[in-house]
């Protein structure tokens, strides 16, 4: 998958250093993946959640951080829409971000 925007992840882990390794790990795995359907993602990430508008929510570092991406399966692309702490995630609507 092509991930748009690594810079959003980098900006976040610079403020939250404990998130760097898990986010880099997610990025490396997602970049190598060829996910064509939500089931493909679910096979790799059992805890991934799916919402409307092709949004996928990844639980990073056991509920410490959340990552929301918009997926374009046919194009093989993921757009980082949100990365944040559990508290900041509670204040967003993942389907509209």
């Amino acid at each position: 998958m092509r991930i748009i925007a690594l810079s959003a992840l980098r900006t976040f882990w610079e403020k939250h250093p404990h998130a760097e390794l898990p986010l880099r790990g997610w990025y490396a795995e997602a970049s190598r993946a060829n996910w064509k359907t939500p089931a493909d993602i679910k096979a790799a990430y059992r805890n991934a959640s799916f919402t409307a508008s092709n949004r996928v929510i990844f639980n990073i570092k056991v509920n410490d951080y959340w990552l929301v991406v918009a997926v374009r399966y046919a194009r093989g692309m993921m757009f980082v829409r949100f990365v944040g702490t559990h508290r900041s995630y509670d204040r967003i609507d993942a389907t509209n971000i």
Side-chain angles (χ1 to χ4, degrees):
M1 302 293 288
R2 182 170 173 220
I3 314 297
I4 314 290
L6 175 60
S7 62
L9 301 179
R10 186 177 296 119
T11 297
F12 184 78
W13 76 51
E14 286 172 354
K15 292 180 184 174
H16 303 273
H18 289 102
E20 183 174 1
L21 285 178
L23 286 172
R24 280 186 183 273
W26 175 87
Y27 182 85
E29 186 170 351
S31 294
R32 288 188 305 269
N34 187 22
W35 295 321
K36 297 291 186 191
T37 67
D40 294 338
I41 294 174
K42 196 68 165 176
Y45 287 92
R46 288 185 335 158
N47 293 328
S49 299
F50 302 86
T51 67
S53 304
N54 285 325
R55 300 295 196 268
V56 182
I57 304 161
F58 293 94
N59 176 348
I60 306 293
K61 199 174 176 278
V62 192
N63 289 333
D64 284 347
Y65 308 109
W66 296 89
L67 174 64
V68 179
V69 298
V71 182
R72 301 294 178 259
Y73 294 101
R75 294 180 180 247
M77 298 175 78
M78 295 181 126
F79 300 86
V80 175
R81 304 299 298 162
F82 170 85
V83 58
T85 64
H86 189 81
R87 182 185 296 209
S88 62
Y89 174 77
D90 288 341
R91 294 185 298 232
I92 67 160
D93 176 3
T95 61
N96 292 318
I97 197 160

